Amino acid sequence: MKVHILDDWFETLRDLPCFAKLSGHDVTVWTDHELDHERLAARVKDAEALVLFRERTTIGADLLDRLPNLKLISQRSVYPHVDVPACTANNVLLSSNMHSDTPSYAAAEMTLALILASYRQIPQQAASIRAGDWQMGVGRTLRGRTLGLYGYGRIAQAVAGYARAIGMNVQWWASDEGRARSMADGQTIANSRADFFATSDVVSLHVRLKPATHGIITANDLAGMNPRSLLVNTSRSGLIETGALEAEIAKNRIHAAVDVFDIEPLRDTSNVLLTHPNVLPTPHIGYVTEDEFDLQFSDIFDQINAYAKGTPIHMINPQVWS
């Protein structure tokens, strides 16, 4: 098959063990990000299979209508960036392994790293010594503090294990169903939503972005956090009410460590989330490790090979195949 891989910004995939799975295909790897769908369609007009790097490119009808040769879109995990009805209308199969039993340990580790780096001022201290100075301030200890995890999923549960290992207390808030599962597992649930935000020294978000969760973290939630408390988001920017975090940060009251943004790649260096000293920003690298990529793209390439053999797997819109 003619396979086009989008948005491999650092041309990482060719060096991974799993790339050998594509040896029987004609593969093109695109290492930049093309926003314009007309230009993107011209690039990949011959593609029979598109490989997506998570949610870096939105796939809608305006693109799919321009790709008459496309048969398969292969990716991993959730797909809010893919217009599934448009795929079906264009006779394009979407395959995506939902990896129901496999948390992203890379994202969980990144969450812990952001918490540690924020509390111990690691980026600022490193910048200070590189500039020829010495210590620039005094950090804070995490042991004995309370981590509030919003969302009772696999990544949050991995983060909870890491937090307990360094002596943090852990409490939870989630949907009704998530709180019920958490309670059944003997976890500590905050007395109320307001109490969760008010009593957590660190609040970390671990919820999938979908219409029901868009803007689920409100300006009132952030306003209810204690001064100097830390909000961590390695999940999705859209979980927070538009503009609410920026407005709260501008008050110089709380801190934030964010790996996700409304616009990605974010290149606006005047954005308060990049300029304010209370914010530790990283460029959506929560899942970006060699190990995680090899795990994810091994599944993606398996989906391509299965389709080529006439036995597609992980079908999201199976009516296209049938």
Side-chain angles (χ1 to χ4, degrees), residues 236-268:
R236 292 293 181 270
S237 177
L239 296 171
I240 303 175
E241 180 184 336
T242 302
L245 180 58
E246 291 86 343
E248 196 63 37
I249 287 296
K251 297 175 185 176
N252 203 37
R253 204 181 62 82
I254 67 170
H255 293 246
V258 290
D259 188 47
V260 288
F261 301 89
D262 288 343
I263 297 174
E264 296 184 1
L266 177 61
R267 304 191 189 279
D268 177 10

Side-chain angles (χ1 to χ4, degrees), residues 261-277:
F261 301 89
D262 288 343
I263 297 174
E264 296 184 1
L266 177 61
R267 304 191 189 279
D268 177 10
T269 55
S270 66
N271 189 297
V272 68
L273 297 181
L274 302 186
T275 62
H276 200 285

Side-chain angles (χ1 to χ4, degrees), residues 7-316:
D7 299 308
D8 185 7
W9 296 335
F10 303 105
E11 202 163 0
T12 309
L13 299 185
R14 289 189 185 275
D15 295 326
L16 297 179
C18 67
F19 197 78
K21 293 184 175 184
L22 293 183
S23 60
H25 302 284
D26 178 2
V27 181
T28 302
V29 179
W30 297 97
T31 59
D32 62 344
H33 180 66
E34 179 55 73
L35 279 170
D36 184 89
H37 276 184
E38 187 171 352
R39 290 195 294 267
L40 179 58
R43 281 185 173 189
V44 301
K45 65 181 186 304
D46 296 327
E48 295 173 295
L50 275 185
V51 171
L52 305 185
F53 247 95
R54 298 295 294 265
E55 298 161 38
R56 291 179 180 179
T57 291
T58 300
I59 305 296
D62 58 334
L63 176 62
L64 292 165
D65 291 345
R66 296 183 172 99
L67 301 176
N69 296 313
L70 187 62
K71 302 174 182 177
L72 173 69
I73 295 174
S74 186
Q75 65 136 57
R76 195 171 189 264
S77 193
V78 294
Y79 41 90
H81 54 300
V82 179
D83 186 336
V84 178
C87 288
T88 303
N90 282 275
N91 208 35
V92 175
L93 180 67
L94 173 63
S95 285
S96 187
N97 184 354
M98 300 305 292
H99 60 99
S100 58
D101 299 321
T102 311
S104 173
Y105 291 109
E109 291 173 3
M110 184 66 186
T111 300
L112 178 64
L114 287 175
I115 295 170
L116 286 164
S118 297
Y119 257 67
R120 296 303 300 271
Q121 304 173 326
I122 291 174
Q124 299 95 320
Q125 298 285 4
S128 179
I129 195 171
R130 287 181 187 276
D133 296 321
W134 193 233
Q135 298 173 7
M136 52 66 61
V138 180
R140 292 182 286 169
T141 301
L142 285 165
R143 186 174 186 85
R145 297 186 190 272
T146 298
L147 170 63
L149 291 165
Y150 195 108
Y152 193 65
R154 294 160 295 169
I155 295 176
Q157 291 176 51
V159 173
Y162 301 156
R164 292 188 182 105
I166 60 172
M168 296 190 77
N169 304 311
V170 176
Q171 67 175 358
W172 300 84
W173 196 256
S175 63
D176 292 344
E177 188 270 337
R179 294 201 306 277
R181 286 191 293 113
S182 178
M183 192 174 300
D185 290 341
Q187 305 292 340
T188 300
I189 313 296
N191 293 327
S192 66
R193 182 187 182 94
D195 189 57
F196 171 81
F197 285 97
T199 60
S200 296
D201 298 295
V202 180
V203 171
S204 188
L205 308 182
H206 299 282
V207 180
R208 284 184 172 177
L209 182 61
K210 50 189 179 181
T213 61
H214 198 278
I216 197 170
I217 307 301
T218 68
N220 285 338
D221 292 329
L222 301 181
M225 295 175 66
N226 283 325
R228 299 188 75 202
S229 57
L230 172 68
L231 178 83
V232 182
N233 191 2
T234 57
S235 204
R236 292 293 181 270
S237 177
L239 296 171
I240 303 175
E241 180 184 336
T242 302
L245 180 58
E246 291 86 343
E248 196 63 37
I249 287 296
K251 297 175 185 176
N252 203 37
R253 204 181 62 82
I254 67 170
H255 293 246
V258 290
D259 188 47
V260 288
F261 301 89
D262 288 343
I263 297 174
E264 296 184 1
L266 177 61
R267 304 191 189 279
D268 177 10
T269 55
S270 66
N271 189 297
V272 68
L273 297 181
L274 302 186
T275 62
H276 200 285
N278 284 5
V279 181
L280 172 56
T282 51
H284 204 156
I285 57 172
Y287 68 100
V288 180
T289 69
E290 293 175 2
D291 313 80
E292 185 75 12
F293 279 172
D294 195 54
L295 174 68
Q296 292 188 12
F297 283 92
S298 183
D299 288 342
I300 289 170
F301 299 157
D302 283 343
Q303 291 170 172
I304 292 172
N305 287 332
Y307 184 95
K309 291 176 182 177
T311 55
I313 56 176
H314 308 143
M315 294 184 287
I316 302 303

